[in-house]
């Protein structure tokens, strides 16, 4: 069997293993094996193939993997769904108390309760959405 084919098989096995582990390390080793397969295809001797593999694997694991992991672990920049409503201003449609009321958030009407149960927020007031639980917005009046 040709050495370049062996390196391709090693690269494929490492790539499949990466899919199951999601560590990014095996993916980098797979990329190094792929580069080494190319060097074997152009006729480098086995000793130099191992050097190519060691150098490329070291570079990818030490420099590329930290960048990939940082990118994967970065929190999402945009909020969606009800998470996007938290912190927005709302207009009180009907009086909001600790037990109920109605507010309009971005043109949609929501059931609401006062975040502080002792508050009574009159109709027409502007409030901030503190939390959303189910279909109920917990709101607090703006000062």
């Amino acid at each position: 069997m040709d050495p370049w084919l062996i390196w391709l098989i090693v690269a494929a096995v490492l790539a499949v293993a990466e899919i199951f582990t999601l560590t990014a390390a095996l993916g980098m080793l797979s990329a190094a094996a792929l580069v080494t397969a190319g060097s074997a295809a152009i006729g480098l001797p086995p000793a130099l193939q191992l050097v190519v593999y060691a150098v490329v694997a070291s570079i990818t694991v030490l420099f590329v993997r930290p960048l990939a992991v940082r990118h994967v672990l970065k929190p999402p920049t945009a909020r969606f769904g009800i998470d996007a409503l938290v912190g927005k201003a709302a207009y009180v449609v009907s009086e909001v108390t600790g037990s109920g009321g109605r507010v309009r958030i971005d043109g949609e009407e929501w059931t609401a309760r006062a975040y502080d149960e002792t508050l009574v927020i009159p109709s027409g007031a502007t409030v901030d959405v503190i939390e959303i639980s189910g279909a109920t917005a917990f709101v607090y009046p703006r000062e």
Side-chain angles (χ1 to χ4, degrees):
M1 188 178 285
D2 291 332
W4 65 269
L5 188 56
I6 293 171
W7 283 111
L8 277 180
I9 292 170
V10 169
V13 168
L14 288 169
V16 169
E18 173 62 35
I19 291 170
F20 291 110
T21 62
L22 298 175
T23 60
L26 295 176
M28 300 298 135
L29 296 178
S30 174
L34 193 61
V35 169
T36 307
S39 69
I42 62 171
L44 284 180
L48 286 179
Q49 292 174 25
L50 289 175
V51 170
V52 167
Y53 181 75
V55 168
V56 174
S58 297
I59 289 171
T60 57
V61 169
L62 293 176
F63 298 107
V64 177
R65 183 180 179 274
L67 294 174
V69 169
R70 192 175 319 129
H71 179 72
V72 168
L73 296 179
K74 185 172 39 171
T77 55
R79 296 184 306 170
F80 298 97
I82 60 172
D83 291 335
L85 299 177
V86 174
K88 287 202 171 211
Y91 176 77
V92 178
V93 176
S94 66
E95 183 178 81
V96 176
T97 64
S99 61
R102 306 282 295 172
V103 295
R104 187 174 309 280
I105 309 169
D106 282 348
E108 295 180 349
E109 205 165 301
W110 285 72
T111 57
R113 293 197 321 208
Y115 191 70
D116 179 358
E117 293 181 4
T118 61
L119 290 176
V120 175
I121 306 167
S123 294
T126 302
V127 293
D128 288 319
V129 178
I130 304 297
E131 176 185 348
I132 303 265
S133 178
T136 303
F138 288 86
V139 297
Y140 195 80
R142 284 192 164 176
E143 308 302 337

